[in-house]
Amino acid sequence: MVKKGMLLQLLDELRKLEEKGCEFTAKEVAESVGYSVSSVNKYFNEKLKGEYIVKVTRSLWKCSGINKLSNDEFFRLMSQSLNTQSKSPDEILSEQLIKRSHDAFTLALEVYNRPTLGNRVEAFTIMMVNAWELMLKSELAKREGASSIFKEGDFSISIREAMCKLMESSDNVAKNLETLIDLRDHAIHLLIPELQPQLSRLFQATVLNYQKRYKALMGNSPLAGQSVGLLSLIVDGCEPEVAVIKETYGELTATQVKSFLGKFTEMARECDSDEFSISVDYKLALTKKSSESDLSLSLSDGGEKAIIIRETKDPDVTHPYHQNTAIAEINLRQELVKITSYSFQAVVKKNKIQKAKRSNYHYELDGRHRYSEAFIEWFVNNLNQKNWLDGALKSHRNRRKKA
């Protein structure tokens, strides 16, 4: 039987390679995780080829979809034993619950990021609490069995009961979730658009806490293969005026809003943790490295011409494509040739697109490469030029031979 410890090392290595978008050899992976080259080749060709890794050349491979696999899914996929592929009733229930939790989590983010939806604050809260409840019950079913999430009369335990079994009440993550549950329970008064700047700080912490716990439970991120921009929920703004809320929604709502804001501010101060509420800070720092700065200050006559910065630019707007989505978009817009990850990288390397961390075409954020709409248009237009793609492929092959 395959040792799960070594398989987990293999999975972690493949996940890292997929995140970086690197091409690799079986020998490189074998040396990194401690397997023999023959074993790695066997796993690649018999278990993963086609669906989770693809062959670029005779010796080079590239990951495609590994990050979508949980630890357990990978173990079952790689196992040689038929017995390990069968699932117990508890495992089946746990998997169904975590799948529904993931769906609720994704939906919560989607509705919050839909600016035209008037009740998105309320919808997000309800769906996010549901996502947490299903994940905690999945964790309990996996650890203690299905009986741990049911009580007499076949009723399921509440989310608060699940929290008591898995979390310490003093934990900031638990306090954040408890506050979210209170908001859901008092939705009629507290989930109003005017509270969004304050609630968004709580929501952002909730999302990051969920992502962290999901990854610890499943091994992969709940947003694998999707834009991390979905995590950006914070909306900055002033504290709402209670008098205005009273006039708009009535005295009872105004009273509850005032009480909530007081408790929320006090708890955020006591916890002093991004696990409870994300703080919104503005900082200026002096650095000698111009590559690390967004602004430059100069006093001499030789300084750069001053500019007025009117707004910050969101990379999810200016450079919305990662490699896989960029390739899909390029193929969608033309039928001359099917672009693969290999030909995509050939063009990128030949034209030195990634040479600058920030440009009109390319933007590197947290080690991940992003591409703009202008880059997609440039790529598609150049495909009409004779020998343009062939030249890039030839250059890429020669570069690899020299390496």
Side-chain angles (χ1 to χ4, degrees), residues 36-88:
S36 66
V37 178
S38 60
S39 294
V40 172
N41 271 319
K42 183 177 180 180
Y43 287 144
F44 283 4
N45 285 292
E46 296 183 9
K47 303 292 184 180
L48 301 172
K49 183 180 178 181
E51 190 169 0
Y52 300 106
I53 65 171
V54 294
K55 207 158 193 176
V56 180
T57 66
R58 184 176 180 180
S59 60
L60 283 174
W61 297 85
K62 191 175 181 69
C63 290
S64 177
I66 283 289
N67 279 310
K68 295 180 181 179
L69 287 173
S70 69
N71 290 353
D72 288 342
E73 287 170 336
F74 185 77
F75 292 152
R76 280 195 294 272
L77 179 66
M78 302 292 282
S79 175
Q80 300 289 340
S81 170
L82 293 176
N83 293 330
T84 57
Q85 294 178 7
S86 62
K87 305 175 188 177
S88 68

Side-chain angles (χ1 to χ4, degrees), residues 26 31 49 76 195 198 245 291 373 380:
E31 290 175 349
K49 183 180 178 181
R76 280 195 294 272
L195 279 179
Q198 284 69 38
I245 292 177
S291 62
E373 175 65 27
V380 172

